[in-house]
Amino acid sequence: MDPIAALKDYQAAATTALAEADGPDALEAVRIEFLGKKKGRLKDLQGLLGKATSEERPVLGKQFNEVRNAVTEAFEKRKREISRPKASLTGLDITLPGTQYTLGRRHPITQTIDEFKDIIGRFGFTVVDGPEIEDGYHNFDALNIPDVHPARDPLDNFYLSAAQAAAGTDGPTLLRSQTSTVQIRVMEKTNPPVRIVSLGRVYRPDTIDRTHSCMFHQMEGLMVGDSVNMAELKTVLKLFATAYLGEGVEIRFRPSFFPFTEPSVEVDMLWDGTWLEVGGAGMVDPNVLSAVGYDPEEVCGFAFGLGIERFCMRRHQVNDIRRFYENDVQFLSQF
Ligand code: PHE
């Protein structure tokens, strides 16, 4: 037989046999028949080539090697196909890589709130909640903010005329502009001593910029007892800031005014050489204690309100508060 024709026959027969082999045993039989070293078709071919003339031999030898390599490769390919689990009737290939789901994570502000609760909890403060929609009494009156005070200005507050009409309330309803409202709500219901914090959203129609947003978060703190003093207030705030931001943090207290505290301070924090205001604090004004039925001759207290975003910004070197509210997943996934 012509050796070239024999090589072609061999390759064609091997291709058919491999395609028909549908399991490991059948495949092994094909291997022995077509690629076996001791006997089988490869051996027969070699015998045939041995009879070729010395001129023919180099060309035939090259072709023989090519065909053998091709059949060996086809065999390996078929072996991989057979060992792969069968696709189901619906065409589902369970060996394909699955869809990668990215894990969601908590918003940086939520993470900060949780950490704040954890730290301040170690100072013995209990976490309480208050409503975001408030009435004028809790947002202003009980906090010693007189009727004519500019803090009540419609341009500085989100008054809710629709909500008010629906609720049938007489006084104004608004999105709370400060968490100090919760001080009142707690003292109305609780006898002293009191040691609480409340963390949540507040709303102000501020001009939005790097450090201002129309909605942000505050942590309000209130401690009332028979001998609470300003030194304790400063110590709590200093220790709190150190626990959250580390030993190097610098805090300064600047004399200020709030209708509901006397004396009052503004709290600043040093950030890259500049003082950034992070909150207000002071000794609870006797008028506030009276408004909730406490006796200012018997008890006194301190209160503070801290901007949560600003602490978080300083910790993570975020230089624009708006980044927190843009829902940019790339930004948020860093936390
Ligand atoms: N409520 C004040 C503000 O939002 C902060 C404050 C809280 C000041 C408690 C004194 C005491 O600016």
Side-chain angles (χ1 to χ4, degrees), residues 79-134:
K79 192 167 147 190
R80 285 196 296 273
E81 280 170 9
I82 284 176
S83 63
R84 188 192 293 169
K86 282 251 162 46
S88 81
L89 288 176
T90 56
L92 175 74
D93 184 350
I94 61 165
T95 65
L96 289 175
T99 311
Q100 279 256 322
Y101 290 101
T102 41
L103 269 187
R105 49 183 82 216
R106 286 173 317 138
H107 192 277
I109 297 302
T110 311
Q111 292 184 33
T112 310
I113 287 175
D114 286 351
E115 199 172 333
F116 271 34
K117 287 179 185 171
D118 187 49
I119 296 171
I120 202 72
R122 287 184 244 142
F123 292 84
F125 287 79
T126 309
V127 179
V128 298
D129 236 341
E132 285 179 31
I133 296 178
E134 266 296 4

Side-chain angles (χ1 to χ4, degrees), residues 141-195:
D141 301 325
L143 286 164
N144 199 32
I145 300 175
D147 269 348
V148 293
H149 198 280
R152 296 187 186 241
D153 195 306
L155 291 175
D156 287 328
N157 293 283
F158 288 109
Y159 285 101
L160 301 170
S161 47
Q164 189 180 328
T169 45
D170 325 326
T173 313
L174 73 163
L175 294 175
R176 68 178 177 195
S177 62
Q178 50 186 351
T179 42
S180 299
T181 53
V182 187
Q183 291 182 35
I184 303 301
R185 291 192 174 273
V186 168
M187 289 190 286
E188 279 173 342
K189 289 191 308 228
T190 330
N191 288 326
V194 171
R195 205 190 299 188

Side-chain angles (χ1 to χ4, degrees), residues 17 22 44 66 71 76 115 168 192 205 217 266 288 312:
D22 55 0
D44 299 345
E66 278 171 12
V71 171
E76 293 297 340
E115 199 172 333
H217 296 75
E266 244 155 339
V288 174
C312 180

Side-chain angles (χ1 to χ4, degrees), residues 143 145 177-181 183 202 204 216 218-222 233 257-267 277-284 302-307:
L143 286 164
I145 300 175
S177 62
Q178 50 186 351
T179 42
S180 299
T181 53
Q183 291 182 35
V202 297
R204 294 179 193 176
F216 61 98
Q218 284 187 328
M219 176 168 78
E220 189 80 14
L222 172 71
L233 166 65
F257 174 80
F258 296 102
F260 35 93
T261 46
E262 180 57 35
S264 304
V265 289
E266 244 155 339
V267 188
E277 189 201 321
V278 290
M283 299 305 294
V284 181
F302 68 65
F304 59 84
L306 304 177

